[in-house]
Amino acid sequence: MTAKANNNTAAAPAHIETDVLVIGAGGAGMYAALEAAKAGAAVVLADRSLIGRGGATVMAQMTVAAALSEQTPDHWEHHLTDTLAAGRGLCDERLAALLCEDGPHRLREMDGWKVGWAREDGHIKQAQAPGHDRPRCAYVDFLSTGPAVSRTLRAQLNLSSGIRRIGELVIVDIALRDGVACGATALHLPSGEAVTLAARAVVIATGGLTGLYRRNSASSNMGGDGYALALRAGAELIDMEFVQFFPIGHLAPRLVGMDPIMWDPFRYKLGGKLLNAEMREFEQDYATPDTRSDGRYVLTRDLATFAITREVEAGRGSPAGGAYLSFQHLPEAAIRSAFGPVVDRLAANCIDLTKRPVEVAPIAHYHMGGVRVDDTLRTAVPGLYACGEAVGGANGANRLSGNAITEALVFGASAGRNAARRALQNSSRWSAQAAQPALELLRGAERRDRPNPAALVRDLKALMADQVGPFRTEAKLQSALAAIARMKTEIGEVPFSSASAFDPVLVDWLDLRNMLLVAQSVAAPALARTESRGAHQREDHPGLDDSWCVNQIVALSRGNALELSRAAPSAGRAAA
Amino acid sequence: MKATLAIQRGTPGEPSRIENFEVTFEPGQSVLDGLRALRCEADPSLAFRFSCINANACKECMMLIDGKVDYACTVRLKEGTTALSPLPKKALIRDLVTEIAPPDERLRPRQ
């Protein structure tokens, strides 16, 4: 293969036709593809990474919440009550109800596909997690939940017919004809070629935006590109200001080969202690009557994040700027039994929990906000659907632990079904014209790599962590919005490129185009919301303000300006 | 501390070249940390695969590290020179990137 100066000037781009295009092959995207194919649609499942390797699902080491009634009698309405309480008044009740009601079906389907839920006395074992009123969280043992879910769905993809999987395909924009989604334009990374995809329905399953933050627990490709695709296509975003920080992300010593949020299940199983620099437990100092303590976990995630940050600010933080997590009060045998083979992986990182504590600190973990959809997972754009973490609304201002994988499976299934139904009832709206704007963008790429786009991505992550993190002020948010505007000017409107095949400069530029729009979509509603609620904490506006029990909606105007509006949270139940 | 990364670069159809980069590191940091820093500080055009960054979950950052097939996210940076080259038994795409996608998950499965 010889390197061409610019592959995109080639006469006609590769073109693919399908019924349903699913963008993103994490848990939600794979489930959407399976359900759409089951409904009889031809499916293309595209991912910018390798299929089933990127995204958040494969990283999830934790638990999956559903009212299975295996451990103890339960009903999905109890799960809904807990989900709505955690959401602090902002949940879209239709979506939350869909999540809770359909969750048990999806977990049982996964069980039938041999995901390997941990069992005890012949039943699926369900753990108690913070914010839940009873043991409700299934898991696969020894930090294997996410990898097991991914592996199981990949195996189902292999068994099903009608799903074409294409990895290493970066979607640049949704193609529109008369305001209807009719496909997409993409960059094929290994060849550097532009590819057009015609589809009668398009499903965004690209996950959240935690990749916008310096320390995060998701894959590098979780920079919120689906939100930018949706916005530019004319869809709306909701609750974008609510970014969940996971309180006890690993901080020090350096840990490689493991997910930074791995400590939670062990802390839960064994009662790991959170200590400040004085080696004193401090969680009780921050507990309030509404924290739904289960007796072992004192604080929900938002309050634990608050507690650790406050201790650090008060000069009682650990050396690396977090809190200590200690298991030293436990006998070695108890640690070995609970951690299993993980003990050896920790030893390889020079960590011996019987000898000393580790340091933990809040880390960007999940995004409650996302693409605004109705109860069929459809966006405001006909033919365009969203599912998984990319959807906003189900979790309101704060997500219950265990709801993310459930949401991926439930919303994935529903979006896949509904997209297939639409695709089979409508003829193709594709026209080559619909791909022109994105093709022209790619064709216009210039050979340059200054300013260094990789450094700009790094700087944007630092900016978001420092100024649009868990604790916000008007001054910080205004400064962030000004910096985002400056960075937009720096990258300009013409893509940078450095090579034809597998060009990281072009990918960074395309990412920045999306990330800067999404960063603005978080900072602007965060600035407007002059109260503290759930994961959005304003130091200059502490406490809930009842007049702010509304969702903020982000959209792009015809002139490409960001527009904010408000809407009352959707009530009522989805049709099951 | 300083590490030197001796990286084999190039595309198919051209002779490969070794480029040396010096990168400052703290003990415990991974080869992938070094590669990512290098893109920000020296050469953003350096191509390598990674997705999960740190968790050894995606298995995309596999390459030849000092002659041994390993993951850049789990091998630690060391003082002195570390040699990095693409997987030898996979088709080269560019620099440290090889064709590791399963054939039926590629745009052109038969290629």
Side-chain angles (χ1 to χ4, degrees):
Chain A
M1 191 178 87
T2 53
K4 288 180 203 161
N6 189 343
N7 272 322
N8 300 325
T9 54
H15 181 69
I16 293 166
E17 302 220 343
T18 188
D19 294 331
V20 175
L21 167 65
V22 180
I23 306 170
M30 288 194 279
Y31 223 112
L34 289 169
E35 282 288 319
K38 202 196 272 181
V43 180
V44 167
L45 175 61
D47 197 291
R48 54 180 294 167
S49 180
L50 301 175
I51 301 294
R53 306 286 190 87
T57 304
V58 72
M59 301 278 289
Q61 299 186 335
M62 314 275 292
T63 63
V64 189
L68 291 167
S69 299
E70 291 265 333
Q71 188 79 28
T72 187
D74 200 355
H75 190 279
W76 67 267
E77 291 192 354
H78 301 314
H79 184 190
L80 178 62
T81 301
D82 290 343
T83 299
L84 297 179
R88 306 282 197 278
L90 293 193
C91 291
D92 181 326
E93 275 191 44
R94 304 164 309 165
L95 293 175
L98 177 64
L99 189 165
C100 297
E101 187 171 10
D102 193 41
H105 303 126
R106 301 278 76 88
L107 265 72
R108 295 206 185 280
E109 185 163 55
M110 293 292 289
D111 194 45
W113 292 339
K114 303 201 165 28
V115 69
W117 301 128
R119 284 187 142 76
E120 183 180 60
D121 304 328
H123 67 79
I124 295 174
K125 202 168 163 181
Q126 292 180 277
Q128 174 91 46
H132 290 274
D133 71 345
R134 68 195 72 202
R136 185 174 289 138
C137 296
Y139 58 93
V140 179
D141 233 328
F142 299 124
L143 303 180
S144 302
T145 302
V149 167
S150 282
R151 187 176 58 241
T152 303
L153 292 173
R154 280 207 304 271
Q156 290 302 312
L157 287 176
N158 278 326
L159 294 173
S160 68
S161 57
I163 302 174
R164 180 170 175 196
R165 290 157 284 168
I166 309 175
E168 308 173 299
L169 203 57
V170 179
I171 305 294
V172 176
D173 266 316
I174 305 295
L176 296 166
R177 184 178 182 184
D178 304 329
V180 177
C182 63
T185 309
L187 170 72
H188 180 238
L189 280 179
S191 65
E193 284 175 68
V195 177
T196 55
L197 299 114
R200 297 168 200 217
V202 178
V203 181
I204 291 175
T206 49
L209 53 61
T210 45
L212 282 178
Y213 288 85
R214 183 170 44 214
R215 295 182 67 243
N216 68 74
S217 61
S219 300
S220 60
N221 56 18
M222 298 273 287
D225 32 1
Y227 301 145
L229 294 176
L231 263 187
R232 286 195 298 265
E236 295 170 326
L237 308 179
I238 186 170
D239 292 344
M240 292 297 286
E241 64 270 39
F242 295 101
V243 181
Q244 182 170 67
F245 283 76
F246 185 85
I248 58 165
H250 185 85
L251 181 63
R254 182 80 167 110
L255 178 67
V256 300
M258 301 190 74
D259 181 347
I261 64 157
M262 56 157 291
W263 294 113
D264 210 50
F266 301 119
R267 181 176 166 227
Y268 197 79
K269 270 189 197 171
L270 293 170
K273 290 179 179 172
L274 269 184
L275 308 171
N276 62 17
E278 297 160 359
M279 290 298 170
R280 186 175 64 79
E281 289 192 74
F282 57 85
E283 281 185 281
Q284 287 294 353
D285 305 351
Y286 298 87
T288 58
D290 82 338
T291 54
R292 303 174 70 83
S293 165
D294 64 12
R296 292 185 80 178
Y297 255 46
V298 179
L299 302 175
T300 49
R301 288 176 175 177
D302 48 353
L303 285 165
T305 294
F306 179 73
I308 293 171
T309 308
R310 275 282 176 272
E311 288 298 299
V312 172
E313 281 172 1
R316 296 189 294 268
S318 66
Y324 289 112
L325 175 64
S326 174
F327 295 92
Q328 283 169 278
H329 58 288
L330 295 161
E332 194 174 344
I335 292 176
R336 168 57 76 171
S337 144
F339 281 74
V342 176
V343 168
D344 304 316
R345 283 151 74 188
L346 291 172
N349 280 285
C350 303
I351 292 171
D352 180 347
L353 297 175
T354 63
K355 297 274 192 305
R356 60 173 187 156
V358 295
E359 292 178 57
V360 295
I363 185 169
H365 179 53
Y366 176 86
H367 184 225
M368 273 68 74
V371 183
R372 191 184 194 194
V373 293
D374 65 15
D375 55 10
T376 67
L377 284 301
R378 207 199 84 176
T379 70
V381 178
L384 186 61
Y385 297 76
C387 60
E389 188 178 348
V391 162
N395 298 289
N398 186 43
R399 176 177 63 83
L400 265 188
S401 67
N403 269 3
I405 299 283
T406 314
E407 163 183 88
L409 307 179
V410 168
F411 291 175
S414 178
R417 249 189 332 264
N418 293 323
R421 191 172 300 148
R422 178 184 166 88
L424 297 174
Q425 287 168 356
N426 287 272
S427 56
S428 174
R429 304 284 293 248
W430 177 257
S431 91
Q433 278 299 318
Q436 276 313 308
L439 287 174
E440 277 162 25
L441 182 81
L442 290 174
R443 281 189 194 121
E446 286 176 358
R447 286 289 165 110
R448 62 183 278 206
D449 58 18
R450 291 292 180 272
N452 184 331
L456 283 174
V457 169
R458 178 195 59 190
D459 295 348
L460 177 60
K461 287 173 188 242
L463 176 82
M464 290 300 283
D466 295 338
Q467 303 195 330
V468 197
F471 301 99
R472 300 158 173 182
T473 64
E474 181 180 342
K476 282 186 187 175
L477 292 165
Q478 271 172 344
S479 146
L481 284 164
I484 290 165
R486 277 197 304 276
M487 291 169 95
K488 275 190 174 176
T489 310
E490 280 191 77
I491 71 156
E493 311 264 316
V494 177
F496 302 179
S497 78
S498 69
S500 47
F502 217 98
D503 181 2
V505 168
L506 179 56
V507 171
D508 278 343
W509 190 93
L510 292 171
D511 279 350
L512 280 166
R513 172 180 180 241
N514 292 335
M515 291 170 94
L516 289 166
L517 178 59
V518 176
Q520 190 187 358
S521 304
V522 176
L527 178 63
R529 184 176 286 277
T530 48
E531 64 150 0
S532 292
R533 182 183 300 265
H536 170 76
Q537 294 289 322
R538 283 284 297 261
E539 291 183 283
D540 46 358
H541 294 280
L544 285 171
D545 175 347
D546 285 340
S547 68
W548 266 110
C549 198
V550 292
N551 302 111
Q552 292 192 89
I553 313 298
V554 176
L556 273 188
S557 72
R558 286 190 181 275
N560 275 334
L562 214 60
E563 286 179 338
L564 272 186
S565 57
R566 297 177 194 178
S570 296
R573 298 281 163 80
Chain B
M1 287 195 266
K2 292 204 188 295
T4 300
L5 298 179
I7 304 174
Q8 181 183 320
R9 302 193 62 179
T11 51
E14 65 174 21
S16 65
R17 59 189 191 277
I18 305 291
E19 289 185 10
N20 289 301
F21 296 93
E22 195 168 79
V23 43
T24 306
F25 72 101
E26 287 169 20
Q29 286 196 293
S30 68
V31 168
L32 184 61
D33 291 335
L35 287 169
R36 291 169 62 218
L38 211 159
R39 284 198 63 236
C40 292
E41 287 148 23
D43 188 350
S45 74
L46 177 67
F48 50 94
R49 286 183 193 271
F50 70 102
S51 180
C52 77
I53 304 177
N54 193 43
N56 199 219
C58 71
K59 314 286 184 190
E60 291 196 22
C61 64
M62 201 189 277
M63 56 183 71
L64 218 52
I65 304 176
D66 285 332
K68 190 169 156 266
V69 174
D70 218 326
Y71 298 105
C73 77
T74 57
V75 175
R76 312 275 181 158
L77 285 170
K78 64 175 195 292
E79 284 188 295
T81 300
T82 300
L84 304 178
S85 51
L87 292 173
K89 292 180 182 166
K90 302 282 182 186
L92 179 65
I93 295 176
R94 197 163 76 81
D95 295 347
L96 298 170
V97 178
T98 51
E99 184 53 271
I100 58 169
D104 59 352
E105 295 179 0
R106 298 178 193 169
L107 179 65
R108 294 188 185 81
R110 288 168 191 283
Q111 224 175 35

